[in-house]
Amino acid sequence: MTKQTDAIDFWFDFSSPYGYLMAEKIDALAARYGRSVRWRPFLLGAVYKQVGGQPLTSIPLKGPYSIRDLARSARFLGLRFSMPNPFPVSTVHAARAFYHLAQGDPALARRFALAIFRDYFVDGHDISALDKVVDVGASLGIDGEALGVAVGTDAVKALLKSACDEALGIGVFGSPYVVIDGEPFWGVDRLPQIERWLESGGF
Amino acid sequence: MTKQTDAIDFWFDFSSPYGYLMAEKIDALAARYGRSVRWRPFLLGAVYKQVGGQPLTSIPLKGPYSIRDLARSARFLGLRFSMPNPFPVSTVHAARAFYHLAQGDPALARRFALAIFRDYFVDGHDISALDKVVDVGASLGIDGEALGVAVGTDAVKALLKSACDEALGIGVFGSPYVVIDGEPFWGVDRLPQIERWLESGGF
C-alpha cells in the first residue's frame, strides 16, 4: 500500500463540538496502528446549503439533548469541554488559515487547528474573527501579519473552496467524518468502530 | 432506591433498525449491573409529526451512509441484520399487541417484541399487517385470535396512545432512546456510555 492510501482523512468544521472531541483523539488512535491522519477542515454550512441540515443545538428536542450529550461525551472521553456562546460561528478564516499553514508545514497546521478548537470549546472564545485567528496563530509563534494577509489571498481561498467541493463530492454530510480505506465513519461515537477497523483491516 | 427507580426505560419503534440492535443488547447489559429494563415501544411517526424529523434512510447523503453504517454496526455488535424493504413500515399493530401482552406477562411481551424485530430486520418480512403481528404472536404460543381482537380494542389503543404521549412529554425524539436514573441516551452507539453509567452510578 502506498503512503497516500494509508492516510486517514479527518473531515471537520472548526465549529463542530463533536469534531473537536475527535480532533483530540484521532491522531493518537491512528498512530497506535501506524497510520497518519490528513486533517481536512471544511465548511459545514456549505454542505448544509446543498443537502439540508441545521445546527444540531437548534433542532427541537434533539438540541437540548445534544448539549447534555456533548458534556457527557467529553467526560466519557476524558476531555475538557464547555459549550461556547455564540454557537455556531463562522469558521471560514480559521479554515483558510489552516490550509495556508498546511502548505508549508502540516504539523504546524495541526497544532494551529487544535489551538483553535481549544480556544473555542475549552476557553469559550469566539473564533470567527480574522484578528482572533491571527492571534491564535501568533501564540504558536506564527508570523501573525503574514498569516492575516495570506488568508485573504485568492490562492488560499481557492484551497478551502476546493476542500469543500471535495467534501461534497465524496458525500461528507456532517462533522466529524473520518474516511479509512474508503470506509466512512460519521461522529466521534464511531471511535470504537474506527479502532476495530484499524486493528483488523476492516470488519 | 425503589425497584421502580432502578428500572431502565428503553423507548423504541419497531421499525427502527438501531432500535433493533439495542433490543438485542440492553437486557443482558442491564442484568450485568442488576438492573431491569422496561420496554416501551412508541410510534416515531407521532414524534416526527410534532417536532420534525424524517426516516433516516431518506435523508440526502446521510441515508446512503446510514445503510452502510447499520450493516457495519450490526457486524461490530455481532448481530445478524438485513435492511428490510419496504422501510419504514407502520408499527401500530405491533406496538398495540406489545402493550396488550405486557399487561398480563411482561416477559412474554418482550419475547414477542424481539420476535417482531427479528422477523423484520433479520428475516425481512413486512411486520405492518395485523395478520402478520398475530402470526408472530402465535409462533410464541400466544392465542392469535384473542390477540387480534385485543389489538382493536379502545383500551389497548389507549395504552399505546398514552405511551406516545409520555414519550413526547419527556422529550423522546428518536429510537432507541434509553433513560437511566433520568439520564437520556439516544442511539445504540451510546452503549459504552450506558455501560459506564451503570458501572459507576453516573459520570
Side-chain angles (χ1 to χ4, degrees), chain B residues 63 92-93 107 163:
Chain B
V92 64
H93 294 310

Side-chain angles (χ1 to χ4, degrees), chain B residues 73-141:
Chain B
S73 294
R75 294 195 302 274
F76 182 74
L77 295 168
L79 297 172
R80 290 184 300 160
F81 174 78
S82 175
M83 193 65 205
N85 182 14
F87 173 86
V89 294
S90 166
T91 58
V92 64
H93 294 310
R96 285 178 182 159
F98 175 91
Y99 283 110
H100 166 67
L101 295 170
Q103 288 180 295
D105 187 342
L108 177 63
R110 186 164 324 197
R111 286 202 303 281
F112 167 79
L114 261 180
I116 288 281
F117 264 137
R118 291 171 182 168
D119 204 46
Y120 190 41
F121 289 113
V122 177
D123 298 326
H125 301 144
D126 183 341
I127 47 103
S128 61
L130 179 57
D131 283 356
K132 180 63 184 170
V133 167
V134 164
D135 282 352
V136 170
S139 76
L140 299 172

Side-chain angles (χ1 to χ4, degrees), chain A residues 18 51 60-62 65 68-69 72-73 75-76 171-173 182-186 189-190 192-193 196 203, chain B residues 51 60-62 65 68-69 72-73 75-76 171-173 182-186 189-190 192-193 196 203:
Chain A
Y18 292 110
V51 301
L61 299 184
K62 198 184 278 190
Y65 171 83
R68 187 169 189 154
D69 182 68
R72 189 180 63 215
S73 294
R75 294 195 302 274
F76 183 73
V172 176
F173 58 83
E183 184 77 10
F185 298 86
W186 171 51
D189 42 35
R190 289 297 176 276
Q193 294 193 24
R196 189 176 301 175
F203 64 86
Chain B
V51 301
L61 299 183
K62 198 183 279 190
Y65 170 82
R68 186 169 188 154
D69 182 67
R72 189 180 62 216
S73 294
R75 294 195 302 274
F76 182 74
V172 176
F173 58 84
E183 183 76 11
F185 298 86
W186 172 50
D189 42 36
R190 289 297 175 276
Q193 293 194 23
R196 188 176 301 174
F203 64 87

Side-chain angles (χ1 to χ4, degrees), chain A residues 14 43 90-98 112 127-131 133 151-152 160:
Chain A
F14 280 110
L43 303 180
S90 166
T91 57
V92 64
H93 294 311
R96 284 177 182 159
F98 174 91
F112 167 80
I127 46 102
S128 60
L130 179 56
D131 284 356
V133 167
V151 163
L160 176 57

